Amino acid sequence: MAMPLRQSIRVGTYLFEQKLRKRDKFPLIVELEPLFACNLKCEGCGKIQHPAGVLKQRMPVAQAVGAVLESGAPMVSIAGGEPLMHPQIHEIVRQLVAKRKYVFLCTNAMLLRKKLENFTPSPYFAFAVHIDGLRERHDESVAKEGVFDEAVAAIKEAKRRGFRVTTNSTFFNTDTPQTIIEVLNFLNDDLQVDEMMISPAYAYEKAPDQEHFLGVEQTRELFKKAFAGGNRRRWRLNHSPLFLDFLEGKADFPCTAWAIPNYSLFGWQRPCYLMSDGYVPTYRELIEETDWDKYGRGKDPRCANCMAHCGYEPTAVLATMGSLKESLRAVRETVHGNNG
């Protein structure tokens, strides 16, 4: 795990405070979607399936910042849609950073080089560029040629200007251990991004392509082979060790989707950003009025093949905090990642 030490301490302190207050449900990171519009039509995403009137909407800055503050989460992942299409996205980021929230702006990077001048490097801020494979594979996944090359150029320019740059890679049943190894080696060694996040594709119901999502056993076998030979320890993966254990079948956890709540133009989404069982206007209503016990593998058939980070990474983090052995293991891997 390559999470910066300052961020690790902040998150650890936050989790300890929740324990002292005896809160059993609290947010670790908010998924903020200030728009649904995008400049790409990825096969595995259904966000742009919304009506044209919805795609034209942009969340006001005060509403976006207010939702994050209402939740109290220490971290924010700004997604969409493509956040850089929001004319005030830099102001949303600026205000959240001023509140000392750790902000990850998820982007396909098509507009990144043009928008960099609107942002200021900060230890509280990082761009999270979506990269699903090397050139041919990535461009196929986003249904447009040239996107991979632009993303690589944007990453290099952002790093040159002093920004933290992370990546987010989603893998499908068309991937092999070798395709995973190749892209993560490239991101880790050649581009030298700060951190990498990985996730098996979840069968998002509105996605155009419903044929290439991974099942649980496929996921475990895929990552077990990709992590072999010391790759897992060498790569700067932005995940807890227990979540990586989970991906390769060494551990299993219940879903804790309440720890990564989603807030969009429609409000707080039940139960997570991958499923939609309605929306509520306040964070308190989301937490107190959602039947969280009915979600997860073995409970809801829609969750049968889900191993996504939004449901299981927070479970792994909480399990880590509840074990001295796992906490020490996470510290060792954090220090290793920062010195690697």
Side-chain angles (χ1 to χ4, degrees):
M1 182 172 65
M3 182 186 290
L5 188 57
R6 178 190 299 185
Q7 185 178 342
S8 297
I9 293 173
R10 170 72 178 280
V11 172
T13 301
Y14 169 80
L15 292 175
F16 184 67
E17 290 173 350
Q18 306 314 304
K19 186 174 183 179
L20 287 179
R21 295 175 182 178
K22 298 183 179 180
R23 292 177 177 169
D24 61 348
K25 291 182 176 61
F26 47 84
L28 188 61
I29 181 169
V30 169
E31 292 275 358
L32 177 66
E33 294 179 328
L35 79 173
F36 293 126
C38 189
N39 48 6
L40 291 177
K41 298 179 180 179
C42 301
E43 293 297 313
C45 176
K47 296 294 182 180
I48 61 171
Q49 302 300 316
H50 290 292
V54 173
L55 295 180
K56 292 178 181 179
Q57 295 180 33
R58 305 291 183 263
M59 186 181 294
V61 173
Q63 181 181 344
V65 175
V68 175
L69 297 181
E70 176 194 5
S71 75
M75 299 183 288
V76 187
S77 174
I78 305 179
E82 169 51 55
L84 292 178
M85 292 176 64
H86 193 300
Q88 295 176 296
I89 193 62
H90 57 284
E91 181 61 19
I92 293 175
V93 169
R94 188 193 69 78
Q95 291 193 24
L96 289 172
V97 167
K99 298 292 185 180
R100 296 189 177 183
K101 302 294 184 182
Y102 285 93
V103 181
F104 297 85
L105 193 154
C106 303
T107 176
N108 58 41
M110 292 294 287
L111 297 173
L112 183 53
R113 285 197 287 177
K114 296 178 182 179
K115 301 287 187 176
L116 276 174
E117 63 184 23
N118 295 334
F119 298 89
T120 302
S122 166
Y124 290 96
F125 175 62
F127 289 108
V129 180
H130 199 85
I131 300 286
D132 280 348
L134 296 181
R135 181 179 292 108
E136 182 178 353
R137 195 167 196 84
H138 181 70
D139 286 356
E140 181 182 8
S141 74
V142 301
K144 186 174 182 179
E145 291 185 4
V147 176
F148 177 83
D149 289 339
E150 178 57 34
V152 168
I155 289 171
K156 290 180 177 179
E157 180 61 17
K159 287 186 64 65
R160 188 187 72 80
R161 297 196 191 190
F163 289 96
R164 287 183 62 223
V165 181
T166 69
T167 54
N168 180 13
S169 300
T170 304
F171 298 111
F172 297 80
N173 65 11
T174 50
D175 278 292
T176 66
Q178 189 57 35
T179 63
I180 294 177
I181 291 169
E182 287 173 355
V183 69
L184 294 184
N185 277 345
F186 175 75
L187 296 172
N188 191 83
D189 303 335
D190 297 347
L191 280 187
Q192 297 184 4
V193 300
D194 293 280
E195 301 162 357
M196 300 178 294
M197 189 169 75
I198 57 178
S199 184
Y202 169 78
Y204 188 68
E205 63 180 358
K206 291 185 178 181
D209 181 359
Q210 291 288 320
E211 298 179 5
H212 296 121
F213 293 108
L214 285 161
V216 171
E217 292 307 318
Q218 285 179 299
T219 297
R220 290 171 175 166
E221 188 67 18
L222 187 65
F223 285 105
K224 181 179 180 180
K225 291 180 178 179
F227 288 160
N231 284 331
R232 171 177 156 175
R233 184 165 178 80
R234 184 175 61 82
W235 290 328
R236 292 182 296 279
L237 297 172
N238 185 22
H239 294 288
S240 64
L242 279 178
F243 180 71
L244 299 178
D245 286 351
F246 170 75
L247 285 183
E248 57 176 313
K250 292 180 179 178
D252 202 9
F253 300 112
C255 174
T256 48
W258 47 261
I260 306 186
N262 173 271
Y263 185 77
S264 71
L265 293 166
F266 298 144
W268 294 98
Q269 181 173 332
R270 291 184 174 133
C272 65
Y273 80 98
L274 292 169
M275 292 167 56
S276 182
D277 283 357
Y279 299 84
V280 292
T282 69
Y283 174 74
R284 174 175 288 186
E285 288 176 86
L286 175 74
I287 294 301
E288 295 181 356
E289 298 180 14
T290 302
D291 185 1
W292 298 102
D293 291 336
K294 73 178 185 180
Y295 296 105
R297 284 185 288 115
K299 298 178 179 179
D300 187 315
R302 295 172 298 176
C303 304
N305 290 313
C306 180
M307 295 181 72
H309 64 92
C310 64
Y312 297 97
E313 176 78 82
T315 325
V317 170
L318 294 172
T320 298
M321 292 297 295
S323 164
L324 178 59
K325 178 183 176 181
E326 291 299 335
S327 295
L328 292 174
R329 177 188 178 199
V331 168
R332 286 196 302 270
E333 296 200 17
T334 297
V335 172
H336 172 80
N338 281 280
N339 292 332

